[in-house]
Amino acid sequence: MLVLSRKAGESIVIGDSITVNVLEIRGDLIRIGIDAPRNIKVHRHEVYEAIEAANKEAATASVDAITDFAQAVGEIPASRLEP
Amino acid sequence: MTEESDIPVVEVRGGLLGFPELTRFALVKMNNEGLVYRLQSLESEAVNFVVVPATSFFPTYAPIVDDEVAERFNLASGADVLVLLIVTLGESFKQSTVNLMAPLLLDPVQQIAEQVIIENEDLSVRAPLLAA
């Protein structure tokens, strides 16, 4: 891993199109600004991990289980659902 | 028998988080009222998702997407985009949850979809589908 030291107001360039700016350092909190092309998705790591875990958990339902689920949804009283 | 051509194929741009290589899915209607769909990968048979339209279950759910997502889906020009929630099936129906933090936006005309992350820490990735 490349390790660099930066001060507030300094930045790092990654490749030709990504810039990471250290905006502010206050106590143990660092504010970072990221300029990247729109096809590069930037997320906080814990958010990314939580969604990836949820997707993986959701990804392998059997067709039978899904059919049962669809039937149960069909039995929900209409008053509990928006049209 | 369902005619294969009746089932829309959607391109999930960028794939779903954790499945970046899978982008082509069939959207199979599982419920007559259109309340449940199965999103079946056309590239990996073992991978399928259950999705439900957000408005039917969470009428007040109004995710705010960033400008770039809005632009990709032409939201400013009034494009008709569906917000779908990915369901994790529970042991029982009542234990099933939905991911409110990362919904799937679907443009049924262009047949493109994208999983977007809503930057709002109050949204759960495992919210009960039905409030008790």
Side-chain angles (χ1 to χ4, degrees), chain A residues 38 43-44 47-48 51-52 54-59 61 63 65-67 69-70 72-74 76 80-82, chain B residues 17-19 30-31 35 38 47-50 55-56 59 68 71 87-89 93 115 117 119 121 126 129 131:
Chain A
R38 58 185 51 188
H43 302 295
R44 284 170 292 144
V47 168
Y48 190 97
I51 294 167
E52 187 174 83
N55 279 352
K56 287 192 168 166
E57 197 182 327
V63 174
I66 299 171
T67 304
F69 174 81
V73 167
I76 299 171
R80 292 197 60 178
L81 297 171
E82 292 295 304
Chain B
L17 283 180
F19 301 91
M30 298 297 287
N31 164 289
L35 293 172
R38 186 163 69 88
V47 174
N48 63 20
F49 294 90
V50 185
T55 51
S56 301
E68 289 161 8
E71 204 173 297
V87 180
T88 300
L89 299 185
F93 176 60
Q115 186 173 29
I117 297 179
E119 290 287 343
E121 286 170 10
R126 288 185 184 82
L129 178 64

Side-chain angles (χ1 to χ4, degrees), chain B residues 14-71:
Chain B
L16 290 119
L17 283 180
F19 301 91
E21 71 285 7
L22 304 179
T23 57
R24 294 185 70 241
F25 288 83
L27 191 66
V28 186
K29 197 174 181 178
M30 298 297 287
N31 164 289
N32 286 336
E33 290 75 36
L35 293 172
V36 181
Y37 290 84
R38 186 163 69 88
L39 197 62
Q40 169 68 56
S41 169
L42 297 175
E43 293 148 321
S44 173
E45 201 180 336
V47 174
N48 63 20
F49 294 90
V50 185
V51 295
V52 298
T55 51
S56 301
F57 296 88
F58 297 88
T60 59
Y61 178 67
I64 296 169
V65 299
D66 65 41
D67 293 348
E68 289 161 8
V69 172
E71 204 173 297

Side-chain angles (χ1 to χ4, degrees), chain A residues 7-80:
Chain A
K7 294 174 181 164
E10 296 182 337
S11 59
I12 294 166
V13 178
I14 301 173
D16 293 328
S17 56
I18 300 171
T19 305
V20 179
N21 303 294
V22 179
L23 301 176
E24 184 186 9
I25 302 169
R26 191 186 293 163
D28 59 0
L29 202 66
I30 301 172
R31 284 167 54 80
I32 293 171
I34 297 159
D35 284 320
R38 58 185 51 188
N39 62 325
I40 304 284
K41 294 180 180 175
V42 179
H43 302 295
R44 284 170 292 144
H45 191 234
E46 66 274 22
V47 168
Y48 190 97
E49 279 189 324
I51 294 167
E52 187 174 83
N55 279 352
K56 287 192 168 166
E57 197 182 327
T60 52
S62 70
V63 174
D64 283 352
I66 299 171
T67 304
D68 289 349
F69 174 81
Q71 190 180 346
V73 167
E75 289 165 3
I76 299 171
S79 60
R80 292 197 60 178

